[in-house]
Amino acid sequence: MRDDALADAYDAAAGSLAPPVDPSAGSALRFLAASIGARSVVEIGTGYGASGLWLLRGMAREGILTTMDSDSVHLDHARSVFSRAGFGAGRARLIRGTAAEVLPRLTDGGYDLVFVDAERRSYPAFLDEALRLLRPGGMVVLHGVLSGPGGPDGPLRAPDPAETAVREVIGRIREDEAFIPLLMPLGEGLLAAIRR
C-alpha cells in the first residue's frame, strides 16, 4: 500500500509534533473500517493525512471522512494527499478547529467509526463524544494507548496526566458491557471497541 501519496504523508510528518500512525496501525485502521463497511467516519487529529488515507482506503466507496485539526498546514497537506490518492473533495470534510469546537456540531448517532489520535489527556472526553456520535454497532478506535513516558514506574514517579487519562479510558471500555473491546499492540497501540 506504500505509494507516492502515502509516502508524502509520512515524509511530511517525520520529526513533526504530529507523528503519523505506524504503517502496521494504519493497515489495521483500513481493515477495521472495511470490516464494518464504514460510510461515515470521524477522525480527531488530521496530522499530515496518513491515518485519514488509511481510513479512506478501508471505507465504503461512497463513504465520507470528517477530520479535524487546529493546524491549517496539516489540513492543507492532508487535502493534497487525499487528492493525489484519488479521493475527491466530496470524500473528505476537513475542518479547522479543535475537537472541543468541532465535535459538538456533529450529529448524534450519525457515524460508523470514530478514530482518536490527539492529545491523550483529553481521551476521556473524546470517548464521551464518540459514544454520542456512534450509531449502535459503531466502533471507536484510540491510538497511542500503549505509549507512555520513559523510565520505570514506581512510587517516586509523578503520575503523567496523559497516561492517567489513557488508563481511565482503557478501564472504562474494559468494564463497560456496552463495548466489545480489542487491544492491538501495533505501533503505539490501538484500542478498538464496538458499541453494542
Side-chain angles (χ1 to χ4, degrees):
M1 292 296 303
R2 188 118 171 129
D3 55 29
D4 289 344
L6 195 54
D8 182 26
Y10 277 95
D11 291 345
S16 78
L17 295 177
V21 297
D22 182 88
S24 62
S27 184
L29 289 175
R30 178 176 175 249
F31 176 85
L32 292 170
S35 72
I36 61 170
R39 296 176 54 214
S40 188
V41 173
V42 172
E43 178 185 36
I44 303 172
T46 308
Y48 288 91
S51 54
L53 191 51
W54 284 109
L55 287 164
L56 282 164
R57 288 180 169 166
M59 293 168 63
R61 293 181 83 104
E62 70 282 3
I64 297 173
L65 172 69
T66 299
T67 183
M68 64 204 69
D69 202 298
S70 58
D71 190 322
S72 60
V73 172
H74 292 169
L75 293 171
D76 290 343
H77 195 273
R79 186 176 288 109
S80 170
V81 165
F82 298 162
S83 177
R84 287 179 57 201
F87 296 102
R91 291 292 310 276
R93 291 190 312 162
L94 293 97
I95 304 171
R96 183 174 180 204
T98 66
E101 296 166 342
V102 177
L103 291 173
R105 300 189 318 228
L106 301 182
T107 305
D108 292 6
Y111 296 90
D112 302 309
L113 190 150
V114 175
F115 174 58
V116 182
D117 186 13
E119 174 53 53
R120 286 161 182 72
R121 285 179 290 186
S122 299
Y123 273 25
F126 293 153
L127 179 60
D128 291 338
E129 285 293 325
L131 288 174
R132 181 182 65 77
L133 295 172
L134 286 173
R135 63 166 174 77
M139 182 185 300
V140 61
V141 183
L142 299 113
H143 177 250
V145 297
L146 297 180
S147 66
D153 201 4
L156 300 179
R157 182 169 72 82
D160 177 70
E163 186 179 359
T164 301
V166 168
R167 285 182 181 173
E168 177 187 331
V169 165
I170 291 172
R172 281 176 59 189
I173 289 175
R174 183 181 60 231
E175 294 165 12
D176 191 335
E177 292 186 6
F179 291 113
I180 301 172
L182 175 64
L183 179 61
M184 293 170 275
L186 301 170
E188 294 182 6
L190 289 178
L191 176 59
I194 295 173
R195 181 183 181 190
R196 291 182 192 265

